[in-house]
Amino acid sequence: MGFYLSDHTAKLSSDKLNNQEIDTPKERMTAQDIDNTLFYAYTKGMTVSIQLDEKDINGYYNPDIEGTITGFSDDQLLLYNQSIKISLIRHVDLLSTSKWSKL
């Protein structure tokens, strides 16, 4: 039995899909709760984890987006250099950050 490049490529694609982190849906937050959480995180300089209400072609939620909010523009949230439409946010978690002095 021979080993072909197409077999190897198919195996790599299968392995990638099997090892890919698939995020489960989190509880959908109200627009008011999302706004309050984002504002609190922004004013306190906290890191957030955001699940968008979008799925990939396989029907799974993409991995959460994490970062510190650097600003707002119209209906957009600025996370470093990334712009996220606030209306697409499904869930926001505040992430705890350890102070470097406690490490």
Coordinates of all heavy atoms in Angstrom, one line a residue:
M1 N 0.9 -1.2 0.0 CA 0.0 0.0 0.0 C 0.9 1.2 0.0 O 1.8 1.4 0.8 CB -0.9 0.0 1.2 CG -1.8 1.1 1.3 SD -3.2 0.8 2.5 CE -2.6 1.7 3.9
G2 N 0.7 2.1 -0.9 CA 1.5 3.3 -1.0 C 0.9 4.5 -0.2 O -0.2 4.5 0.2
F3 N 1.8 5.4 0.1 CA 1.4 6.6 0.8 C 1.5 7.8 -0.1 O 2.6 8.0 -0.7 CB 2.3 6.8 2.0 CG 1.9 7.9 2.9 CD1 0.8 7.8 3.7 CD2 2.7 9.1 2.9 CE1 0.5 8.9 4.5 CE2 2.3 10.2 3.7 CZ 1.2 10.0 4.5
Y4 N 0.4 8.5 -0.3 CA 0.4 9.6 -1.3 C 0.3 10.9 -0.6 O -0.2 11.0 0.6 CB -0.9 9.4 -2.2 CG -0.8 8.1 -3.0 CD1 -1.5 7.0 -2.6 CD2 0.0 8.0 -4.1 CE1 -1.5 5.8 -3.4 CE2 0.1 6.9 -4.9 CZ -0.6 5.8 -4.5 OH -0.6 4.6 -5.2
L5 N 0.7 11.9 -1.2 CA 0.7 13.3 -0.7 C -0.7 13.7 -0.3 O -1.0 14.3 0.7 CB 1.3 14.3 -1.6 CG 1.4 15.7 -1.1 CD1 2.2 15.8 0.2 CD2 2.1 16.6 -2.2
S6 N -1.7 13.3 -1.2 CA -3.1 13.6 -0.9 C -3.6 13.0 0.4 O -4.4 13.6 1.1 CB -4.0 13.3 -2.1 OG -3.9 11.9 -2.3
D7 N -3.1 11.8 0.7 CA -3.5 11.1 1.9 C -2.9 11.9 3.1 O -3.6 12.0 4.2 CB -2.9 9.7 2.0 CG -3.6 8.8 0.9 OD1 -4.7 9.0 0.5 OD2 -2.9 7.8 0.5
H8 N -1.7 12.3 3.0 CA -1.0 13.1 4.1 C -1.7 14.4 4.3 O -2.0 14.8 5.4 CB 0.5 13.3 3.7 CG 1.2 14.1 4.7 ND1 1.5 13.6 6.0 CD2 1.8 15.3 4.6 CE1 2.2 14.5 6.6 NE2 2.4 15.6 5.8
T9 N -2.1 15.1 3.2 CA -2.8 16.3 3.3 C -4.2 16.1 4.0 O -4.6 16.9 4.9 CB -3.0 17.0 1.9 OG1 -1.7 17.1 1.3 CG2 -3.7 18.3 2.0
A10 N -4.9 15.1 3.6 CA -6.2 14.8 4.2 C -6.0 14.5 5.7 O -6.8 14.9 6.5 CB -6.8 13.6 3.5
K11 N -4.9 13.8 6.1 CA -4.7 13.4 7.5 C -4.4 14.7 8.3 O -4.9 14.9 9.4 CB -3.5 12.4 7.6 CG -3.0 12.2 9.0 CD -3.6 10.9 9.6 CE -3.0 10.5 10.9 NZ -3.5 11.2 12.1
L12 N -3.6 15.6 7.7 CA -3.3 16.8 8.4 C -4.5 17.7 8.6 O -4.7 18.3 9.7 CB -2.2 17.7 7.6 CG -0.8 17.1 7.7 CD1 0.1 18.0 6.7 CD2 -0.3 17.1 9.1
S13 N -5.4 17.8 7.6 CA -6.6 18.5 7.7 C -7.5 17.9 8.8 O -8.1 18.6 9.6 CB -7.4 18.6 6.4 OG -6.6 19.3 5.4
S14 N -7.6 16.6 8.8 CA -8.4 15.9 9.9 C -7.9 16.2 11.3 O -8.6 16.4 12.2 CB -8.4 14.4 9.6 OG -9.1 13.7 10.6
D15 N -6.5 16.1 11.4 CA -5.9 16.3 12.7 C -6.1 17.7 13.2 O -6.4 18.0 14.3 CB -4.4 16.0 12.6 CG -4.1 14.6 12.5 OD1 -5.0 13.7 12.7 OD2 -2.9 14.3 12.2
K16 N -6.0 18.7 12.2 CA -6.3 20.1 12.6 C -7.7 20.3 13.1 O -7.9 20.9 14.1 CB -6.0 21.0 11.4 CG -6.2 22.5 11.7 CD -5.9 23.3 10.5 CE -6.1 24.8 10.9 NZ -6.0 25.6 9.7
L17 N -8.7 19.7 12.4 CA -10.0 19.8 12.8 C -10.3 19.2 14.2 O -11.0 19.7 15.1 CB -11.0 19.2 11.8 CG -12.5 19.5 11.9 CD1 -12.7 21.0 12.0 CD2 -13.2 18.9 10.8
N18 N -9.7 18.0 14.4 CA -9.8 17.3 15.7 C -9.2 18.0 16.8 O -9.6 17.9 18.0 CB -9.3 15.8 15.6 CG -10.1 15.0 14.7 OD1 -11.3 15.3 14.5 ND2 -9.6 14.0 14.1
N19 N -8.1 18.7 16.6 CA -7.3 19.4 17.7 C -7.7 20.8 17.8 O -7.3 21.5 18.8 CB -5.8 19.3 17.4 CG -5.3 17.9 17.5 OD1 -5.8 17.1 18.2 ND2 -4.3 17.6 16.7
Q20 N -8.6 21.3 16.9 CA -9.0 22.7 17.0 C -9.9 22.9 18.2 O -10.7 22.1 18.5 CB -9.8 23.0 15.7 CG -10.2 24.5 15.6 CD -10.9 24.7 14.3 OE1 -11.4 23.8 13.7 NE2 -11.0 25.9 13.9
E21 N -9.6 24.0 18.9 CA -10.4 24.4 20.0 C -11.8 24.9 19.6 O -11.9 25.8 18.8 CB -9.7 25.5 20.8 CG -10.4 26.0 22.0 CD -9.7 27.1 22.8 OE1 -8.5 27.1 22.8 OE2 -10.4 27.9 23.3
I22 N -12.8 24.2 20.1 CA -14.1 24.6 19.7 C -14.8 25.1 20.9 O -14.9 24.5 21.9 CB -14.9 23.3 19.2 CG1 -14.2 22.8 17.9 CG2 -16.4 23.7 18.9 CD1 -14.8 21.5 17.4
D23 N -15.2 26.4 20.8 CA -15.9 27.0 21.9 C -17.4 26.7 21.9 O -18.0 26.8 20.9 CB -15.6 28.5 21.9 CG -14.3 28.9 22.4 OD1 -13.6 28.1 23.0 OD2 -13.9 30.1 22.1
T24 N -17.9 26.4 23.1 CA -19.3 26.1 23.2 C -20.0 27.5 23.5 O -19.4 28.4 23.9 CB -19.6 25.2 24.4 OG1 -19.0 25.8 25.6 CG2 -19.0 23.8 24.2
P25 N -21.3 27.5 23.1 CA -22.0 28.8 23.3 C -22.1 29.2 24.7 O -22.4 28.3 25.6 CB -23.4 28.5 22.6 CG -23.5 27.1 22.5 CD -22.1 26.5 22.5
K26 N -21.8 30.4 25.0 CA -22.0 30.9 26.4 C -23.4 31.6 26.5 O -24.0 31.9 25.4 CB -20.9 31.9 26.7 CG -19.5 31.3 26.7 CD -18.5 32.2 27.0 CE -17.1 31.5 27.0 NZ -16.0 32.4 27.1
E27 N -23.8 31.8 27.7 CA -25.1 32.5 27.9 C -25.2 33.8 27.1 O -24.3 34.6 27.3 CB -25.4 32.7 29.3 CG -26.7 33.3 29.6 CD -26.9 33.6 31.1 OE1 -26.2 33.0 31.9 OE2 -27.7 34.4 31.5
R28 N -26.2 34.0 26.3 CA -26.4 35.3 25.6 C -26.7 36.4 26.6 O -27.6 36.2 27.4 CB -27.5 35.2 24.6 CG -27.7 36.5 23.8 CD -28.8 36.4 22.8 NE -28.7 35.3 21.9 CZ -28.0 35.3 20.8 NH1 -27.4 36.3 20.4 NH2 -28.0 34.2 20.0
M29 N -25.9 37.4 26.6 CA -26.1 38.5 27.5 C -27.0 39.6 26.9 O -27.1 39.7 25.6 CB -24.8 39.2 27.9 CG -23.8 38.3 28.7 SD -22.2 39.0 28.9 CE -22.5 40.3 30.0
T30 N -27.7 40.3 27.7 CA -28.5 41.4 27.1 C -27.6 42.5 26.6 O -26.4 42.6 27.1 CB -29.5 42.0 28.2 OG1 -28.7 42.6 29.2 CG2 -30.4 40.9 28.8
A31 N -28.1 43.4 25.7 CA -27.3 44.5 25.2 C -26.9 45.4 26.4 O -25.7 45.9 26.4 CB -28.1 45.3 24.2
Q32 N -27.7 45.6 27.4 CA -27.4 46.4 28.5 C -26.3 45.8 29.4 O -25.4 46.5 29.8 CB -28.7 46.7 29.4 CG -28.4 47.6 30.6 CD -28.1 49.0 30.1 OE1 -28.8 49.6 29.2 NE2 -27.1 49.7 30.6
D33 N -26.4 44.5 29.6 CA -25.3 43.8 30.4 C -24.0 43.9 29.6 O -22.9 44.1 30.3 CB -25.7 42.4 30.6 CG -26.8 42.3 31.7 OD1 -27.0 43.2 32.5 OD2 -27.4 41.2 31.8
I34 N -24.0 43.7 28.3 CA -22.8 43.8 27.5 C -22.2 45.2 27.6 O -21.0 45.4 27.9 CB -23.0 43.4 26.0 CG1 -23.3 41.9 25.9 CG2 -21.9 43.8 25.1 CD1 -23.8 41.5 24.6
D35 N -23.0 46.2 27.4 CA -22.6 47.6 27.5 C -22.0 47.9 28.9 O -20.9 48.5 29.0 CB -23.7 48.6 27.3 CG -24.1 48.6 25.8 OD1 -23.4 48.1 24.9 OD2 -25.2 49.2 25.5
N36 N -22.7 47.5 30.0 CA -22.2 47.7 31.3 C -20.8 47.1 31.6 O -19.9 47.6 32.2 CB -23.2 47.3 32.4 CG -24.4 48.1 32.4 OD1 -24.4 49.3 31.9 ND2 -25.5 47.6 33.0
T37 N -20.7 45.8 31.1 CA -19.5 45.1 31.3 C -18.3 45.7 30.6 O -17.2 45.8 31.1 CB -19.7 43.6 30.9 OG1 -20.8 43.0 31.6 CG2 -18.4 42.7 31.2
L38 N -18.6 46.1 29.3 CA -17.5 46.7 28.5 C -17.1 48.0 29.1 O -15.9 48.3 29.2 CB -18.0 46.9 27.1 CG -18.3 45.6 26.2 CD1 -18.9 46.0 24.9 CD2 -17.0 44.8 26.1
F39 N -18.0 48.8 29.6 CA -17.7 50.1 30.1 C -16.9 49.9 31.4 O -15.9 50.6 31.6 CB -19.0 50.9 30.4 CG -18.7 52.3 31.0 CD1 -18.2 53.3 30.2 CD2 -18.9 52.5 32.4 CE1 -17.9 54.5 30.8 CE2 -18.6 53.8 32.9 CZ -18.1 54.8 32.1
Y40 N -17.3 49.0 32.3 CA -16.6 48.7 33.5 C -15.1 48.3 33.2 O -14.2 48.8 33.8 CB -17.3 47.6 34.3 CG -16.6 47.3 35.6 CD1 -16.8 48.1 36.7 CD2 -15.8 46.2 35.8 CE1 -16.2 47.9 37.9 CE2 -15.2 45.9 36.9 CZ -15.4 46.7 38.0 OH -14.8 46.4 39.2
A41 N -15.0 47.3 32.3 CA -13.7 46.8 31.9 C -12.8 48.0 31.3 O -11.6 48.1 31.6 CB -13.8 45.7 30.9
Y42 N -13.4 48.8 30.5 CA -12.7 50.0 30.0 C -12.2 50.9 31.0 O -11.0 51.3 31.0 CB -13.5 50.7 28.9 CG -12.9 51.9 28.3 CD1 -11.8 51.7 27.5 CD2 -13.4 53.1 28.5 CE1 -11.2 52.8 26.9 CE2 -12.8 54.2 27.9 CZ -11.7 54.1 27.1 OH -11.1 55.2 26.5
T43 N -13.1 51.3 31.9 CA -12.7 52.3 33.0 C -11.7 51.7 34.0 O -10.9 52.5 34.5 CB -13.9 52.8 33.7 OG1 -14.6 51.7 34.4 CG2 -14.9 53.5 32.8
K44 N -11.7 50.4 34.2 CA -10.7 49.8 35.1 C -9.5 49.2 34.4 O -8.6 48.7 35.1 CB -11.4 48.6 35.9 CG -12.6 49.1 36.7 CD -12.2 50.0 37.8 CE -13.4 50.3 38.6 NZ -13.1 51.3 39.7
G45 N -9.4 49.3 33.1 CA -8.3 48.8 32.4 C -8.2 47.3 32.4 O -7.1 46.7 32.4
M46 N -9.3 46.6 32.5 CA -9.3 45.1 32.6 C -9.3 44.5 31.3 O -9.7 45.0 30.3 CB -10.6 44.7 33.4 CG -10.6 45.2 34.9 SD -12.1 44.7 35.7 CE -11.6 43.0 36.0
T47 N -8.8 43.2 31.3 CA -8.8 42.4 30.1 C -10.2 41.7 30.0 O -10.7 41.3 31.0 CB -7.7 41.4 30.1 OG1 -6.4 42.1 30.3 CG2 -7.6 40.5 28.9
V48 N -10.7 41.6 28.8 CA -12.0 40.9 28.6 C -11.8 39.7 27.6 O -10.8 39.6 26.9 CB -13.0 41.9 28.0 CG1 -13.4 43.0 29.0 CG2 -12.6 42.5 26.6
S49 N -12.7 38.8 27.7 CA -12.9 37.7 26.8 C -14.2 37.8 26.1 O -15.2 37.9 26.8 CB -12.7 36.4 27.5 OG -12.9 35.3 26.7
I50 N -14.2 37.9 24.8 CA -15.5 38.2 24.1 C -15.8 37.0 23.2 O -15.0 36.6 22.4 CB -15.3 39.5 23.2 CG1 -15.1 40.7 24.2 CG2 -16.5 39.7 22.3 CD1 -14.8 42.0 23.4
Q51 N -17.1 36.6 23.3 CA -17.6 35.6 22.3 C -18.5 36.3 21.4 O -19.5 36.9 21.8 CB -18.3 34.4 23.0 CG -18.8 33.4 22.0 CD -19.4 32.2 22.7 OE1 -20.4 32.3 23.3 NE2 -18.8 31.0 22.5
L52 N -18.2 36.2 20.1 CA -19.1 36.8 19.1 C -20.2 35.9 18.8 O -20.1 34.7 18.9 CB -18.3 37.2 17.8 CG -17.1 38.2 18.0 CD1 -16.4 38.4 16.7 CD2 -17.7 39.5 18.5
D53 N -21.3 36.5 18.3 CA -22.5 35.7 17.9 C -22.3 35.3 16.4 O -23.2 35.6 15.6 CB -23.8 36.5 18.2 CG -25.0 35.6 18.3 OD1 -24.8 34.4 18.4 OD2 -26.1 36.1 18.2
E54 N -21.2 34.7 16.1 CA -20.9 34.2 14.8 C -20.4 32.8 14.9 O -19.7 32.4 15.8 CB -19.9 35.1 14.1 CG -20.3 36.5 13.9 CD -19.2 37.3 13.2 OE1 -18.0 37.1 13.5 OE2 -19.6 38.2 12.5
K55 N -20.7 32.0 13.9 CA -20.2 30.6 13.8 C -19.4 30.4 12.6 O -19.5 31.1 11.6 CB -21.4 29.6 13.8 CG -22.2 29.7 15.1 CD -23.4 28.8 15.1 CE -24.2 28.9 16.3 NZ -25.4 28.1 16.3
D56 N -18.5 29.4 12.6 CA -17.7 29.1 11.5 C -18.5 28.2 10.5 O -19.7 27.9 10.8 CB -16.4 28.4 11.9 CG -16.6 27.1 12.6 OD1 -17.7 26.5 12.5 OD2 -15.6 26.6 13.2
I57 N -17.9 27.8 9.4 CA -18.6 27.0 8.4 C -19.1 25.6 8.9 O -20.0 25.0 8.4 CB -17.8 26.8 7.1 CG1 -16.5 26.1 7.5 CG2 -17.5 28.1 6.5 CD1 -15.7 25.7 6.2
N58 N -18.5 25.2 10.1 CA -18.9 23.9 10.6 C -20.0 24.1 11.7 O -20.4 23.1 12.3 CB -17.7 23.2 11.2 CG -16.7 22.8 10.2 OD1 -17.1 22.3 9.1 ND2 -15.5 23.1 10.4
G59 N -20.4 25.3 12.0 CA -21.5 25.6 12.9 C -21.0 25.8 14.4 O -21.8 25.8 15.3
Y60 N -19.7 25.9 14.5 CA -19.1 26.1 15.9 C -18.7 27.6 16.1 O -18.4 28.3 15.1 CB -17.8 25.3 16.0 CG -18.0 23.8 15.9 CD1 -17.6 23.1 14.8 CD2 -18.7 23.1 16.9 CE1 -17.8 21.7 14.7 CE2 -18.9 21.8 16.8 CZ -18.5 21.1 15.7 OH -18.7 19.7 15.6
Y61 N -18.8 28.0 17.3 CA -18.4 29.4 17.7 C -16.9 29.4 17.6 O -16.2 28.5 18.0 CB -18.8 29.7 19.1 CG -20.3 30.1 19.1 CD1 -21.2 29.1 19.5 CD2 -20.8 31.3 18.8 CE1 -22.6 29.4 19.5 CE2 -22.1 31.6 18.8 CZ -23.0 30.6 19.2 OH -24.4 30.9 19.2
N62 N -16.4 30.5 17.1 CA -14.9 30.7 17.0 C -14.4 30.9 18.4 O -15.1 31.3 19.4 CB -14.6 32.0 16.2 CG -14.9 31.7 14.7 OD1 -14.6 30.7 14.2 ND2 -15.6 32.6 14.1
P63 N -13.1 30.7 18.6 CA -12.5 31.0 20.0 C -12.7 32.4 20.4 O -12.8 33.3 19.5 CB -11.0 30.7 19.7 CG -10.9 29.8 18.6 CD -12.1 30.2 17.7
D64 N -12.8 32.6 21.7 CA -13.1 34.0 22.2 C -11.9 34.9 21.8 O -10.8 34.5 21.7 CB -13.2 33.9 23.7 CG -14.5 33.3 24.2 OD1 -15.3 32.9 23.3 OD2 -14.7 33.1 25.4
I65 N -12.2 36.2 21.8 CA -11.2 37.2 21.5 C -10.9 37.8 22.8 O -11.8 38.2 23.6 CB -11.8 38.3 20.5 CG1 -12.2 37.6 19.2 CG2 -10.8 39.4 20.3 CD1 -13.1 38.5 18.4
E66 N -9.6 37.9 23.2 CA -9.2 38.4 24.4 C -8.3 39.6 24.3 O -7.5 39.7 23.3 CB -8.4 37.4 25.3 CG -9.3 36.2 25.7 CD -8.5 35.2 26.5 OE1 -7.3 35.4 26.8 OE2 -9.2 34.2 26.9
G67 N -8.5 40.6 25.1 CA -7.6 41.8 25.1 C -8.1 42.9 26.0 O -9.2 42.7 26.7
T68 N -7.4 44.0 26.0 CA -7.8 45.1 26.8 C -8.4 46.2 25.8 O -7.9 46.4 24.7 CB -6.6 45.8 27.4 OG1 -5.9 44.7 28.3 CG2 -6.9 46.9 28.3
I69 N -9.5 46.7 26.3 CA -10.3 47.7 25.5 C -9.5 49.0 25.4 O -9.1 49.6 26.4 CB -11.7 47.9 26.0 CG1 -12.5 46.6 26.1 CG2 -12.4 49.0 25.2 CD1 -13.7 46.7 26.9
T70 N -9.2 49.5 24.2 CA -8.5 50.7 24.0 C -9.4 51.9 23.6 O -8.9 53.0 23.6 CB -7.4 50.5 23.0 OG1 -7.9 50.1 21.7 CG2 -6.3 49.5 23.4
G71 N -10.7 51.6 23.4 CA -11.6 52.7 23.0 C -12.8 52.2 22.3 O -13.0 51.1 22.1
F72 N -13.6 53.2 22.0 CA -14.9 53.0 21.3 C -15.0 54.0 20.2 O -14.5 55.1 20.3 CB -16.1 53.2 22.3 CG -16.1 52.2 23.4 CD1 -15.5 52.5 24.6 CD2 -16.8 51.0 23.3 CE1 -15.6 51.6 25.7 CE2 -16.8 50.1 24.4 CZ -16.2 50.4 25.6
S73 N -15.7 53.6 19.1 CA -16.0 54.4 18.0 C -17.3 54.0 17.4 O -17.4 52.9 16.8 CB -14.8 54.3 17.0 OG -15.1 55.1 15.8
D74 N -18.3 54.9 17.5 CA -19.7 54.6 17.1 C -20.1 53.3 17.7 O -20.2 53.2 18.9 CB -19.7 54.5 15.5 CG -19.4 55.9 14.9 OD1 -19.8 56.9 15.5 OD2 -18.8 55.9 13.8
D75 N -20.4 52.3 16.9 CA -20.9 51.0 17.4 C -19.7 50.0 17.4 O -20.0 48.8 17.4 CB -22.1 50.5 16.6 CG -21.7 50.1 15.2 OD1 -20.7 50.6 14.7 OD2 -22.5 49.3 14.6
Q76 N -18.5 50.5 17.4 CA -17.3 49.6 17.4 C -16.6 49.7 18.7 O -16.4 50.7 19.3 CB -16.4 50.0 16.3 CG -17.0 50.0 14.9 CD -17.2 48.6 14.3 OE1 -16.3 47.8 14.5 NE2 -18.3 48.4 13.7
L77 N -16.1 48.5 19.1 CA -15.2 48.4 20.3 C -13.8 48.2 19.7 O -13.5 47.5 18.8 CB -15.6 47.2 21.1 CG -14.7 46.6 22.1 CD1 -14.6 47.5 23.3 CD2 -15.1 45.2 22.5
L78 N -12.8 49.0 20.3 CA -11.5 48.8 19.9 C -10.7 48.0 20.9 O -10.6 48.4 22.0 CB -10.8 50.2 19.7 CG -11.6 51.1 18.7 CD1 -11.0 52.5 18.7 CD2 -11.6 50.6 17.3
L79 N -10.1 46.9 20.4 CA -9.4 46.0 21.2 C -8.0 46.0 20.6 O -7.8 45.3 19.6 CB -10.0 44.6 21.2 CG -9.9 43.7 22.4 CD1 -10.6 44.3 23.6 CD2 -10.6 42.4 22.1
Y80 N -7.0 46.7 21.2 CA -5.7 46.9 20.6 C -6.0 47.5 19.2 O -6.6 48.5 19.0 CB -4.9 45.7 20.5 CG -4.5 45.2 21.9 CD1 -5.0 44.0 22.4 CD2 -3.8 45.9 22.8 CE1 -4.7 43.5 23.6 CE2 -3.5 45.5 24.1 CZ -3.9 44.3 24.5 OH -3.6 43.8 25.7
N81 N -5.5 46.8 18.1 CA -5.7 47.3 16.8 C -6.9 46.7 16.1 O -7.1 46.8 14.9 CB -4.5 47.1 15.9 CG -3.3 47.9 16.4 OD1 -3.5 49.0 16.9 ND2 -2.1 47.4 16.2
Q82 N -7.7 45.9 16.8 CA -8.8 45.2 16.2 C -10.1 45.9 16.6 O -10.4 46.4 17.7 CB -8.9 43.8 16.8 CG -9.9 42.9 16.2 CD -9.8 41.5 16.7 OE1 -9.1 41.2 17.6 NE2 -10.6 40.6 16.1
S83 N -11.0 46.0 15.6 CA -12.3 46.7 15.7 C -13.4 45.6 15.7 O -13.4 44.8 14.9 CB -12.5 47.7 14.6 OG -13.8 48.3 14.7
I84 N -14.2 45.6 16.8 CA -15.3 44.6 16.9 C -16.6 45.4 17.0 O -16.8 46.3 17.8 CB -15.1 43.8 18.2 CG1 -13.8 43.1 18.1 CG2 -16.2 42.8 18.4 CD1 -13.4 42.5 19.4
K85 N -17.6 44.9 16.1 CA -18.9 45.5 16.1 C -19.6 45.1 17.4 O -19.8 43.9 17.6 CB -19.7 45.1 14.9 CG -20.9 45.9 14.7 CD -21.5 45.6 13.3 CE -22.7 46.5 13.1 NZ -23.2 46.4 11.7
I86 N -20.0 46.0 18.2 CA -20.6 45.7 19.5 C -21.9 44.8 19.4 O -22.2 43.9 20.2 CB -20.9 47.0 20.4 CG1 -19.6 47.6 20.7 CG2 -21.7 46.7 21.6 CD1 -19.7 49.0 21.4
S87 N -22.7 45.1 18.3 CA -23.9 44.3 18.2 C -23.7 42.8 17.8 O -24.6 42.0 17.9 CB -24.8 45.0 17.0 OG -24.1 44.9 15.8
L88 N -22.4 42.5 17.5 CA -22.1 41.1 17.2 C -21.6 40.3 18.5 O -21.4 39.1 18.4 CB -21.0 41.0 16.2 CG -21.4 41.4 14.8 CD1 -20.2 41.3 13.8 CD2 -22.6 40.7 14.2
I89 N -21.5 41.0 19.6 CA -21.0 40.4 20.8 C -22.2 39.6 21.5 O -23.3 40.1 21.7 CB -20.5 41.4 21.8 CG1 -19.3 42.1 21.2 CG2 -20.1 40.8 23.1 CD1 -18.7 43.3 22.0
R90 N -21.9 38.3 21.8 CA -22.8 37.4 22.4 C -22.6 37.4 24.0 O -23.6 37.4 24.7 CB -22.7 36.0 21.9 CG -23.5 35.0 22.5 CD -23.2 33.6 22.0 NE -24.1 32.6 22.7 CZ -25.3 32.3 22.3 NH1 -25.8 32.9 21.3 NH2 -26.0 31.4 23.0
H91 N -21.3 37.4 24.4 CA -21.0 37.3 25.8 C -19.7 38.0 26.1 O -18.8 37.9 25.3 CB -20.9 35.8 26.2 CG -20.8 35.6 27.6 ND1 -21.9 35.4 28.4 CD2 -19.7 35.5 28.4 CE1 -21.5 35.2 29.7 NE2 -20.1 35.2 29.7
V92 N -19.5 38.6 27.2 CA -18.3 39.2 27.7 C -18.0 38.7 29.1 O -18.8 38.7 30.0 CB -18.4 40.7 27.7 CG1 -17.1 41.3 28.2 CG2 -18.8 41.3 26.4
D93 N -16.7 38.3 29.3 CA -16.2 37.9 30.6 C -15.1 38.8 30.9 O -14.3 39.2 30.1 CB -15.7 36.4 30.6 CG -16.8 35.4 30.6 OD1 -17.7 35.6 31.4 OD2 -16.6 34.4 29.9
L94 N -15.0 39.2 32.2 CA -13.9 40.0 32.7 C -12.8 39.0 33.1 O -13.1 38.0 33.8 CB -14.3 40.8 33.9 CG -15.4 41.9 33.7 CD1 -15.8 42.5 35.0 CD2 -14.9 42.9 32.7
L95 N -11.6 39.2 32.7 CA -10.5 38.3 33.1 C -9.7 38.9 34.2 O -9.4 40.1 34.2 CB -9.6 38.0 31.9 CG -10.3 37.4 30.7 CD1 -9.3 37.1 29.5 CD2 -10.9 36.0 31.0
S96 N -9.4 38.1 35.2 CA -8.6 38.6 36.3 C -7.1 38.7 35.8 O -6.6 37.9 35.0 CB -8.7 37.7 37.5 OG -8.2 36.4 37.2
T97 N -6.5 39.7 36.2 CA -5.1 39.9 35.9 C -4.3 40.0 37.2 O -4.7 40.7 38.1 CB -4.9 41.2 35.1 OG1 -5.5 42.3 35.8 CG2 -5.5 41.1 33.7
S98 N -3.2 39.2 37.2 CA -2.4 39.2 38.4 C -1.4 40.4 38.4 O -0.9 40.7 37.3 CB -1.6 37.9 38.5 OG -2.5 36.8 38.6
K99 N -1.2 41.1 39.4 CA -0.2 42.1 39.5 C 1.1 41.5 39.4 O 1.4 40.4 40.0 CB -0.4 42.9 40.7 CG -1.6 43.8 40.8 CD -1.6 44.7 42.0 CE -1.1 46.0 41.6 NZ -1.1 47.0 42.6
W100 N 2.0 42.1 38.7 CA 3.4 41.5 38.5 C 4.1 41.4 39.9 O 4.9 40.5 40.1 CB 4.2 42.4 37.6 CG 4.5 43.8 38.1 CD1 3.8 44.9 37.9 CD2 5.6 44.1 38.9 NE1 4.4 45.9 38.5 CE2 5.5 45.5 39.1 CE3 6.7 43.4 39.4 CZ2 6.4 46.2 39.9 CZ3 7.6 44.2 40.2 CH2 7.4 45.5 40.4
S101 N 3.7 42.3 40.8 CA 4.4 42.2 42.1 C 3.9 41.0 42.9 O 4.6 40.6 43.9 CB 4.1 43.5 42.9 OG 2.7 43.6 43.1
K102 N 2.8 40.4 42.5 CA 2.3 39.2 43.3 C 2.8 37.9 42.6 O 2.5 36.8 43.1 CB 0.8 39.2 43.4 CG 0.3 40.4 44.2 CD -1.2 40.3 44.4 CE -1.7 41.4 45.3 NZ -3.1 41.3 45.5
L103 N 3.5 38.0 41.5 CA 3.9 36.8 40.8 C 5.2 36.2 41.5 O 5.9 36.8 42.1 CB 4.2 37.1 39.3 CG 2.9 37.4 38.5 CD1 3.3 37.8 37.1 CD2 1.9 36.3 38.5

